[in-house]
Structure formats: C-alpha cells, structure tokens
Amino acid sequence: MHTLKDKVSESLSRFFADSPNSSSSSSSPSPQHDLKPSHSDTDGYRNLNLEAEDNFLNDYVECSPVFGKKATVSNLEDNEDPASGRSTSGSEMFEDATDQHSPRKHLPYLMDESVFISADLYEFLLSSLPNIVKGCQWVLLYSTLKHGISLRTLIRKSAELSGPCLLIVGDRQGAVFGGLLECPLKPTAKRKYQGTNQSFVFTTIYGAPRLFRPTGSNRYYYLCLNDILALGGGGNFALCLDGDLLNGTSGPCETFGNLCLAHNQDFELRNVEVMQLFDHFILSTGNI
C-alpha cells in the first residue's frame, strides 16, 4: 500500500511539474517592460549620502558671506543699467569708477596746480586775456594754501615776476571770481588807484563764467594798501579783500559795470591765488 501510494504521489508530482500552469512558471522571467530596478542596500546608502551632501550645501549657502544673498530675478536686476537695459559686470563698474577719477585735462600754459581753475574757466580766461599775454605761461606766485594767510605775503610774492597777473579767489559757497592786475603789486600810503584799462573782473556764479570790462566812467582799476586789496570803485568795490585774507566784499561798481561777484556782498574767503602771466622764453632761460 505504501509503495503504491508513493508511486501515485510521484506520478502526480511529475504531472504538475510538466504542466504549463504549474507553480514553476511563477519563477520564469517576466517580459522586459515589467522589470523594475532593484534597490540594493548599496543604492540606499548612496542616496542617503547624496541627501546629506545636498543638505550640507544648502546650509553652506545660507551661512556663507559670499552666498548670503541668493540669486533671484530681483537681485540680477540690481546690476542692470537702467539707462541701457544691459547688465553691468564687476569689471564694468570698476571701469566706471576709474573714469570718475581720470586724470585732469592738460592745460598747456598752466604751470602749477590751482584749486580754482577748471578746464572751462581756463579756456574762458585764456580767451579774455589781452593779446600781449595770450602765449604766456601761468605761474602760481601765491596761494594761501601754500604760503599762508597774509596780504603782506601776497604782495611780497607778487614782486618775484613782473607783468599782468590773475587774482583768483573763492567764497565758501563755491563761487570763483577775481580780476586782472599788474605785478608787482605796490602798496601806497594813501588811497591811490593803479592799473590800466586792460583790467577786468570775472565771476562764475551766473551759470557760466562772466567777464566785466572797464566801462570808461572812471579809472579806479585797482587799489593796493598794506591792509586792503580792491578792484573797481564808484558806489562799491567790485572786489575787496582785507589784510588777513579771511573776509571780503563785492558789489556793483561804476568802473566795470559789474554785478556782485560772490554769492553775498560780504563773504568768507576759501582761498586766494595769484597767477602770474609770464613770457615762457624768459622763464625757461631763467632771466628773471
């Protein structure tokens, strides 16, 4: 009995093993499109490392002073030139900064640095000078920044070269004004006017440099005392400086028919300069 039973069981096992619906079919490979990637323990470890690295980079971006400001559309627009609509790189901004500090335009006859004479004022004064001195060098004889605040020092320095000179002063509000005198300045004991009709006064407070020449009503061209230096007369001085070169006055006068040269009739001086107009040949040979 047991032998027959064993034989029957064996036969049934063979039958099911050969059958297409047998359980062995479940172990056969499935079509390729049904395949799914396996996720091994190694893959899980790799993904875990990548996630940790991403978190580290995010934390670094938030903490780093370089990346403290994330790149957004609004941030990118910060570097756009509103006039041109184009972005400005760091190098372009550096070029703009260097352009703002570009060297000053060369002024051919100006031999020394002046705190007042810009390129526009230089061209204006050059065109206004008498023809006899238009080719002369401009030599700084006196400046309060270099030589101290004293009218006596100014007068003494004016004796170093002879000929026409420009007196250039400024007030605390930014006006630049002055006039054409004759060097050396010679102080007189009494109020005695000097100069010729080549004298003039000028100012920059009316938008562009403006010149006032003698009207012919009088000959009060300039006055030099030990404690006063003044240009013009009749009604007011066109320009008057006190002995310590700290204060001055300006008003309309008959000599030049001028308006007030400064922002106010009474003003504080910012600086005083005397530019001598000297023949460049004599200056270069040292025959002075």
Side-chain angles (χ1 to χ4, degrees):
M1 290 292 294
H2 292 286
T3 303
L4 179 60
K5 184 178 179 179
D6 293 337
K7 289 182 179 181
V8 171
S9 299
E10 184 179 357
S11 297
L12 290 175
S13 299
R14 290 178 181 176
F15 174 78
F16 286 112
D18 295 336
S19 173
N21 296 325
S22 65
S23 60
S24 63
S25 62
S26 61
S27 62
S28 60
S30 60
Q32 185 173 0
H33 64 271
D34 290 335
L35 291 176
K36 296 182 179 179
S38 62
H39 299 282
S40 64
D41 293 339
T42 303
D43 292 337
Y45 177 74
R46 184 183 298 112
N47 291 338
L48 182 60
N49 285 342
L50 291 176
E51 291 176 359
E53 184 175 328
D54 289 341
N55 292 334
F56 171 77
L57 291 176
N58 289 336
D59 294 340
Y60 177 75
V61 168
E62 292 177 358
C63 298
S64 171
V66 178
F67 298 99
K69 188 176 181 181
K70 296 184 179 180
T72 62
V73 175
S74 60
N75 293 336
L76 294 177
E77 290 175 350
D78 291 341
N79 291 331
E80 288 185 357
D81 185 349
S84 62
R86 62 181 179 86
S87 62
T88 56
S89 64
S91 61
E92 290 174 335
M93 286 187 285
F94 176 78
E95 292 173 359
D96 291 341
T98 55
D99 289 341
Q100 294 175 1
H101 297 84
S102 58
R104 190 172 183 176
K105 181 181 177 181
H106 176 64
L107 308 179
Y109 299 115
L110 187 61
M111 305 299 292
D112 303 285
E113 188 71 17
S114 168
V115 298
F116 292 130
I117 300 178
S118 63
D120 291 340
L121 182 57
Y122 171 81
E123 296 293 341
F124 172 78
L125 293 174
L126 186 63
S127 64
S128 304
L129 292 174
N131 292 331
I132 194 172
V133 293
K134 282 193 174 180
C136 291
Q137 304 286 1
W138 298 23
V139 181
L140 183 64
L141 290 184
Y142 172 81
S143 169
T144 52
L145 294 180
K146 292 183 178 182
H147 305 107
I149 304 173
S150 170
L151 179 58
R152 290 180 180 270
T153 304
L154 186 156
I155 294 172
R156 177 171 52 83
K157 296 292 291 183
S158 74
E160 294 182 2
L161 298 172
S162 61
C165 65
L166 285 168
L167 174 69
I168 308 173
V169 302
D171 63 16
R172 296 289 181 178
Q173 287 72 43
V176 178
F177 46 95
L180 185 68
L181 305 174
E182 190 77 20
C183 285
L185 295 172
K186 299 176 181 179
T188 59
K190 297 181 179 180
R191 292 200 172 196
K192 180 181 179 180
Y193 279 89
Q194 306 175 57
T196 68
N197 60 3
Q198 297 292 332
S199 301
F200 60 74
V201 293
F202 70 92
T203 182
T204 63
I205 68 170
Y206 299 106
R210 187 169 178 181
L211 194 79
F212 301 93
R213 295 189 185 276
T215 61
S217 62
N218 59 47
R219 296 182 180 181
Y220 302 156
Y221 301 119
Y222 69 88
L223 181 69
C224 182
L225 304 175
N226 286 321
D227 58 351
I228 288 178
L229 178 61
L231 291 83
N236 300 282
F237 294 125
L239 174 61
C240 180
L241 309 181
D242 62 15
D244 57 11
L245 300 183
L246 293 176
N247 300 280
T249 61
S250 176
C253 78
E254 297 175 1
T255 307
F256 299 108
N258 61 283
L259 304 174
C260 182
L261 304 180
H263 283 99
N264 301 295
Q265 288 196 353
D266 297 304
F267 55 86
E268 293 184 18
L269 288 164
R270 183 164 64 93
N271 193 18
V272 178
E273 294 180 347
V274 176
M275 281 283 178
Q276 174 67 58
L277 310 175
F278 201 76
D279 188 283
H280 65 90
F281 175 76
I282 298 177
L283 183 65
S284 62
T285 57
N287 297 322
I288 56 175

